[in-house]
Amino acid sequence: MNWEWSDIYSHQLWMVSTAILAIIVRALRKVPWNPRACPVELKGKTAIITGANTGIGKFIALDFARRGARVILACRSEARGTAALQEIRDISGNQNVHLRLLDTSSLESVRKFAARILEEEKELHILVNNAGASGLPSKITADGLEITFATNHIGPFLLTSLLLDLLKKSAPARIVNVSSMNHWKGEVDFSHFRGDNLSNVMDAAYNHTKLHNVIWTNELARRLQGTDC
Ligand SMILES: NC(=O)c1ccc[n+]([C@@H]2O[C@H](COP(=O)([O-])OP(=O)(O)OC[C@H]3O[C@@H](n4cnc5c(N)ncnc54)[C@H](OP(=O)(O)O)[C@@H]3O)[C@@H](O)[C@H]2O)c1
């Protein structure tokens, strides 16, 4: 039997399979994320973003400002916060962007920040717990807490608890807790909160805090079912 390679390529089945493969590849192709493509407007919404003077937090704050939200940058440094505030106002053209000081590693600072928010804001629709740190030298805070736990988990936990009634009252509202892929390396041991039994290997404290973020977020979501928060 005589055949040529061209006979195979011109076969109908080959053409159909190629077309199907092309459709699948196109559907699965990774498209770069473009926040400007999102049509959701945030006019009339108030959002707090912790750690908003740099990195992911600043980008989120800028995005919310562009969409017209009232944006509160919750930062621990007045100088770094003011620089970000100016930049976000300039780029977005939204002057309804404000700075409030917050150090998530200090329970006193968290309480003071929350008290001011409850005094000044009638509504709160979005809380982004973004502030976080890794690689911190081991230290116990004035509250007796290990610094990475205080910063990444306990401070944000207290802040959210203090603002929860306002969020519920403002529903639909959303709480976003920024964790990390590294949470899978973490363990739950409540003695870690006070710095006991903690290894410094490969930033173990950070991984533990990020696992606590995930567990807490799951439980919070369960408790908030039906509240539109
Ligand atoms: N970048 C990544 O690849 C990655 C991956 C997984 C998860 N994450 C998580 O994403 C979040 C943001 O990360 P990033 O990469 O944008 O980090 P980043 O650029 O280092 O920014 C961290 C922000 O948190 C603030 N912050 C740190 N400690 C604070 C405290 N005690 N009180 C108030 N603010 C504090 C920092 O303020 P200062 O400028 O004053 O220090 C800064 O604004 C973190 O929760 C991080 O764990 C990041």
Side-chain angles (χ1 to χ4, degrees):
M1 182 182 162
N2 285 338
W3 61 271
E4 304 265 336
W5 280 106
S6 59
D7 294 340
I8 296 176
Y9 288 126
S10 61
H11 196 280
Q12 262 187 352
L13 194 62
W14 174 254
M15 301 277 283
V16 172
S17 333
T18 308
I20 291 172
L21 188 67
I23 291 167
I24 293 172
V25 169
R26 189 174 164 75
L28 294 179
R29 114 197 116 110
K30 290 212 172 6
V31 182
W33 181 59
N34 176 8
R36 290 188 202 204
C38 176
V40 179
E41 275 294 317
L42 294 174
K43 256 202 173 58
K45 304 288 181 192
T46 300
I48 294 176
I49 302 103
T50 70
N53 57 284
T54 188
I56 296 169
K58 184 163 121 187
F59 195 85
I60 295 170
L62 175 60
D63 183 49
F64 287 178
R66 273 197 185 119
R67 295 181 201 206
R70 172 176 170 79
V71 180
I72 297 167
L73 314 179
C75 306
R76 62 176 162 177
S77 152
E78 184 148 23
R80 291 192 289 276
T82 305
L85 175 75
Q86 208 47 61
E87 193 183 329
I88 291 170
R89 280 185 178 175
D90 288 349
I91 296 174
S92 68
N94 182 346
Q95 299 305 305
N96 200 4
V97 182
H98 308 275
L99 172 67
R100 299 288 177 264
L101 294 182
L102 167 70
D103 178 348
T104 59
S105 74
S106 154
L107 300 186
E108 188 191 352
S109 171
V110 171
R111 289 186 198 284
K112 211 167 144 188
F113 172 87
R116 184 161 177 198
I117 294 295
L118 295 177
E119 201 179 293
E120 292 179 344
E121 305 298 329
K122 288 190 180 64
E123 293 188 303
L124 176 60
H125 305 94
I126 306 172
L127 170 62
V128 184
N129 284 309
N130 161 78
S134 59
L136 296 178
S138 180
K139 185 187 147 185
I140 301 298
T141 69
D143 303 300
L145 298 167
E146 195 283 327
I147 183 96
T148 308
F149 273 86
T151 306
N152 295 2
H153 177 58
I154 301 164
F157 178 93
L158 175 63
L159 177 66
T160 307
S161 305
L162 293 171
L163 298 179
L164 204 52
D165 283 345
L166 181 60
L167 284 154
K168 282 185 192 166
K169 209 178 79 183
S170 316
R174 294 292 179 266
I175 301 161
V176 179
N177 294 331
V178 182
S179 180
S180 160
M181 290 273 280
N182 279 0
H183 76 273
W184 72 267
K185 297 181 197 163
E187 286 168 13
V188 172
D189 175 344
F190 289 103
S191 74
H192 289 161
F193 281 31
R194 299 201 172 271
D196 299 330
N197 307 309
L198 256 180
S199 125
N200 257 344
V201 178
M202 302 293 280
D203 212 1
Y206 176 81
N207 301 336
H208 299 327
T209 64
K210 292 294 167 180
L211 176 60
H212 278 277
N213 287 162
V214 171
I215 294 170
W216 160 48
T217 305
N218 273 305
E219 177 58 16
L220 190 59
R222 194 183 66 77
R223 292 186 188 205
L224 289 175
Q225 268 173 22
T227 63
D228 208 358
C229 280

